[in-house]
Amino acid sequence: GSDVEEAFGGGGGGGFGGGEERPTPEPLAVAVADEAAPLVALFGEYLACSLYSKTWSLRDSALQRLAQGLREGSLPGAGPREPPPAFAHLARALATVLKRTLADRNVQVFSSAAGVLQALCDAASGHASRQQEVKVAMEPLLPSLADRLGDGNARADNTAREAHHHLARMPGAGAPFAAQCLFKPPSKRTGAGAAKTA
């Protein structure tokens, strides 16, 4: 396994802390193998498979581990002395993760994905090149994040609002960047509109 996999206890059913046994994630589906390949290389097979698992608790735990690794600087490219290309590679990999998880229907998984987004913004603070990399990586994700505003679930709505505020406070991005999708029609029926038709 990778250093990240070993640091986060990947492999087998354990490693999630608290002596708690979690199920082993299913192997990656052929349909996502190409998309997940950079994640396997960067984070290890166990964490990557957990991110794509059908089991929400595995997706949630993997996202929490990524946020923790960003905060601690233990993910490849996240350390304060890592060269800009290493951080850029990490930001692109996390954008792949967030593309799927910010749209996750499970509110806990969405909340943990927003935690990864916030930790990524925090890891970029004080570094102009990192802020630009986060901005480039996150821009395609803004519509998914905007779609969660007005979600019928108050927790999802609050999490989306907090994530937008975090992006708006990030130097190099700011309110115009965070709000650019808010003035466009949603890409699909979500939130309150979806709740009324469901």
Side-chain angles (χ1 to χ4, degrees), residues 131-148:
Q131 292 164 1
Q132 184 60 32
E133 291 299 338
V134 169
K135 188 175 172 183
V136 167
M138 295 301 110
E139 189 163 11
L141 306 177
L142 291 176
S144 293
L145 192 57
D147 284 347
R148 295 308 288 259

Side-chain angles (χ1 to χ4, degrees), residues 2 5 28 33 35-49:
S2 72
E5 199 166 27
L28 289 169
E35 177 183 307
L39 305 179
V40 172
L42 199 58
F43 307 130
E45 187 172 355
Y46 183 78
L47 199 62
C49 288

Side-chain angles (χ1 to χ4, degrees), residues 1 3 6 14 18 21 30 91 108 120 122 136 141 146 152 164 176 181:
D3 291 341
E6 290 171 18
E21 283 292 315
V30 174
Q108 179 58 42
L120 183 61
D122 292 344
V136 167
L141 306 177
H164 273 93
C181 288

Side-chain angles (χ1 to χ4, degrees), residues 21-191:
E21 283 292 315
R22 297 276 180 156
T24 300
E26 58 274 8
L28 289 169
V30 174
V32 298
D34 288 342
E35 177 183 307
L39 305 179
V40 172
L42 199 58
F43 307 130
E45 187 172 355
Y46 183 78
L47 199 62
C49 288
S50 294
L51 289 165
Y52 286 86
S53 176
K54 294 176 185 171
T55 306
W56 74 265
S57 60
L58 285 172
R59 294 191 311 274
D60 176 52
S61 293
L63 288 164
Q64 289 182 29
R65 297 293 185 189
L66 290 176
Q68 176 186 357
L70 279 166
R71 287 190 296 272
E72 295 173 352
S74 60
L75 289 180
R81 294 192 176 105
E82 294 279 354
F87 185 81
H89 182 65
L90 174 62
R92 285 189 303 273
L94 291 172
T96 299
V97 170
L98 293 173
K99 179 181 174 187
R100 295 182 69 84
T101 55
L102 286 173
D104 201 298
R105 298 189 81 174
N106 183 287
V107 174
Q108 179 58 42
V109 173
F110 168 67
S111 180
S112 292
V116 171
L117 173 65
Q118 292 174 1
L120 183 61
C121 290
D122 292 344
S125 68
H127 304 275
S129 65
R130 285 185 172 199
Q131 292 164 1
Q132 184 60 32
E133 291 299 338
V134 169
K135 188 175 172 183
V136 167
M138 295 301 110
E139 189 163 11
L141 306 177
L142 291 176
S144 293
L145 192 57
D147 284 347
R148 295 308 288 259
L149 290 168
D151 194 291
N153 181 296
R155 183 171 168 219
D157 178 55
N158 287 336
T159 298
R161 288 175 195 277
E162 289 171 17
H164 273 93
H165 289 146
H166 211 80
L167 283 169
R169 287 190 305 265
M170 187 178 85
F177 173 74
Q180 64 183 312
C181 288
L182 302 181
F183 300 108
K184 298 176 184 174
S187 60
K188 61 183 182 213
R189 291 189 58 88
T190 60

